Amino acid sequence: MLESEAMRLTAERSCEMRWDDDQRCWVILAVSYDADMVCLPAATLARLDADEFLREWIPERP
């Protein structure tokens, strides 16, 4: 999956995705609801399709 596609899907689900140089991963945070952040390695993102990305990496709404 391309980073731009992942960022679009993330934003559509009220989350934020940004690169963290210290952790060397994509950090995904919920913006409008309370959920734990996740750290997604770039290599993992590259091999995911959109359905896997949404299912496995977007925090669920409470």
Side-chain angles (χ1 to χ4, degrees):
M1 161 174 285
L2 296 174
E3 295 164 3
S4 58
E5 181 183 6
M7 293 177 102
R8 181 185 56 78
L9 291 170
T10 302
E12 288 174 353
R13 281 143 185 93
S14 300
C15 294
E16 173 186 326
M17 181 176 154
R18 61 179 166 76
W19 180 254
D20 187 309
D21 282 327
D22 294 332
Q23 296 185 54
R24 306 286 305 151
C25 67
W26 287 100
V27 173
I28 300 172
L29 306 141
V31 173
S32 64
Y33 58 98
D34 187 30
D36 293 335
M37 78 166 208
V38 294
C39 187
L40 173 61
T44 302
L45 176 62
R47 65 177 170 77
L48 294 173
D49 64 30
D51 290 332
E52 290 173 311
F53 174 71
L54 293 172
R55 185 177 56 252
E56 297 176 20
W57 293 98
I58 296 298
E60 290 188 27
R61 288 183 175 267

